[in-house]
Amino acid sequence: MCAFHEWDGRRSVWAGLGLAIAVAIGFALYSYLGTLLFAIFLYYATRPLYRLLDRRVAHPNVTASITILLVVLPMLAVVGYAALAALRELDQFLAASDLEAYRSALEPYLSMARERDVGRLREALASDTGRSVTSALQQGIPAAFGPLSSIAGSVFGILARIFLMITFLFYLLRDDSKLRRWFSRSVDHDEDLVSFLEAVDDDLETIFVGNLAIVGVAAVIAAGTYLALNLFAPGGQVVATPVLLAFLIGIGTLIPAVGMKIVYVPYGLYLLVLSLAGPAPLWQPIAFFLLSFTVVDTVPDFFARSLLSARSGIHMGLVLLGYFLGTLAFGWYGLFLGPIVVVLAVHFAHRRFPPLASTLLAE
């Protein structure tokens, strides 16, 4: 009896230590939960490609790096380039319209930096009469470097999250088989638990691979549609950057409820403004909206998504609810957490709830 109590006390100590470690890790990851969930999504979405390459490349580090280079970095490059292109287009639009006042707020500082006009800088510092250059520096430098430091902090935060996401993804791809074997040994190869988690794992791969495939299908359909529109449109092209817009539309399919509309609706409104304020004919934004809604939005959403999700044992309506409700409940990272919760709930309801319920009723 004493031995049992001694052993039970030691087990409690080890369990407490494990709980403390888990709390510390959870506290460290809490601020980066969205980054971790995005890495998990990309892990499941790119795992088939990694395993395909792994059968041909002997080194797992090289295989994981190639997988990330082929899938993740192009997506980040497209989003980054699109952001720069959007800023450039916004600057040109404000310069060519009646909204110059919004652009002029930043123009003196931008032109001063572009021209590197030391005389204008010295004139700006000494413009207030009765103030010394030192006083102007004391007030001007913090005002100038405040926004710059804020921007630099934001950029550093984004780069840090991208680095963490790629790091998580790299080690998940490379060491997932080791994690599986470790967990299976730790639970003494419990058949019920292992089979439950394997079923969850398979369905998550099917759902997230389907999402990534829909990104590609939507991008290809959008690119073909807009290139054809430019080819057959009289009087010049309608979509200035059809391939870039198509890639953004593909990435936009990951957003629940709104989907790719978050990309093509603002662009269509931009074409409408150009048509109303300039020489462009009104049929161009109308044709763009019609093709975007009937071809680009309908085909991937109804046909491709249904075909790709048919391989999963989870009802498509539940998956869509997981995306929508997960985003409403948890924020942007609910886009990835919602489907995980749905898959866990469905398999628990099918596999574990009936025997638990029968046991409770029998008692």
Side-chain angles (χ1 to χ4, degrees):
M1 196 70 170
C2 295
F4 173 79
H5 284 297
E6 181 182 356
W7 176 82
D8 190 70
R10 292 181 59 186
R11 185 178 63 175
S12 300
V13 170
W14 284 114
L17 178 61
L19 180 61
I21 294 173
V23 169
I25 295 175
F27 180 78
L29 292 177
Y30 178 75
S31 299
Y32 303 97
L33 180 60
T35 304
L36 176 60
L37 289 171
F38 187 45
I40 291 173
F41 159 72
L42 290 175
Y43 159 70
Y44 280 109
T46 59
R47 189 171 68 180
L49 176 61
Y50 172 82
R51 290 177 175 175
L52 179 65
L53 295 172
D54 192 46
R55 290 195 290 266
R56 293 166 173 79
V57 180
H59 205 293
N61 289 337
V62 176
T63 307
S65 301
I66 293 175
T67 304
I68 293 173
L69 288 173
L70 289 177
V71 178
V72 180
L73 292 187
M75 294 176 65
L76 295 176
V78 167
V79 173
Y81 178 77
L84 293 177
L87 288 175
R88 186 168 61 249
E89 291 292 331
L90 178 63
D91 180 67
Q92 294 175 359
F93 174 74
L94 292 177
S97 64
D98 295 333
L99 302 175
E100 182 67 26
Y102 294 96
R103 184 172 178 261
S104 62
L106 293 176
E107 184 59 29
Y109 305 100
L110 296 175
S111 62
M112 189 183 300
R114 286 195 298 266
E115 297 170 9
R116 298 178 183 178
D117 194 336
V118 180
R120 289 178 62 192
L121 178 62
R122 185 169 54 248
E123 181 182 351
L125 291 175
S127 59
D128 292 337
T129 57
R131 293 188 179 183
S132 64
V133 174
T134 303
S135 176
L137 285 173
Q138 289 175 348
Q139 295 186 6
I141 288 180
F145 280 93
L148 291 178
S149 62
S150 177
I151 294 173
S154 300
V155 171
F156 177 78
I158 293 173
L159 292 178
R161 290 177 183 274
I162 292 175
F163 173 77
L164 282 176
M165 182 269 295
I166 292 177
T167 302
F168 287 142
L169 176 60
F170 178 86
Y171 287 107
L172 283 173
L173 288 171
R174 194 192 70 173
D175 298 327
D176 61 346
S177 59
K178 295 179 181 179
L179 290 173
R180 290 168 184 268
R181 290 194 296 269
W182 165 79
F183 181 81
S184 182
R185 290 194 306 267
S186 299
V187 299
D188 199 20
H189 303 279
D190 184 273
E191 184 178 352
D192 290 337
L193 182 57
V194 172
S195 63
F196 171 80
L197 293 179
E198 285 179 350
V200 170
D201 182 73
D202 291 340
D203 276 341
L204 286 178
E205 179 180 315
T206 301
I207 291 172
F208 288 146
V209 168
N211 284 345
L212 191 62
I214 290 169
V215 170
V217 171
V220 170
I221 293 175
T225 302
Y226 297 142
L227 287 172
L229 177 61
N230 287 343
L231 180 63
F232 295 104
Q237 64 180 9
V238 178
V239 181
T241 55
V243 177
L244 176 61
L245 185 65
F247 275 116
L248 291 176
I249 282 175
I251 296 173
T253 58
L254 296 174
I255 302 174
V258 180
M260 63 179 70
K261 294 179 182 66
I262 198 173
V263 178
Y264 76 75
V265 169
Y267 192 85
L269 293 176
Y270 168 73
L271 292 179
L272 181 62
V273 170
L274 291 182
S275 176
L276 295 176
L282 186 60
W283 67 264
Q284 290 188 353
I286 295 176
F288 175 82
F289 271 121
L290 287 176
L291 287 174
S292 297
F293 181 75
T294 58
V295 178
V296 178
D297 202 347
T298 302
V299 174
D301 194 45
F302 286 96
F303 297 101
R305 192 183 297 273
S306 299
L307 180 63
L308 292 170
S309 63
R311 296 172 51 235
S312 172
I314 309 297
H315 192 277
M316 190 60 198
L318 289 176
V319 176
L320 292 177
L321 282 176
Y323 284 123
F324 187 70
L325 294 177
T327 306
L328 291 179
F330 303 109
W332 71 268
Y333 59 83
L335 175 64
F336 313 112
L337 181 58
I340 295 175
V341 173
V342 166
V343 172
L344 286 170
V346 168
H347 281 285
F348 181 83
H350 285 171
R351 293 170 175 267
R352 303 312 311 158
F353 180 75
L356 287 175
S358 61
T359 303
L360 291 175
L361 291 175
E363 294 178 354

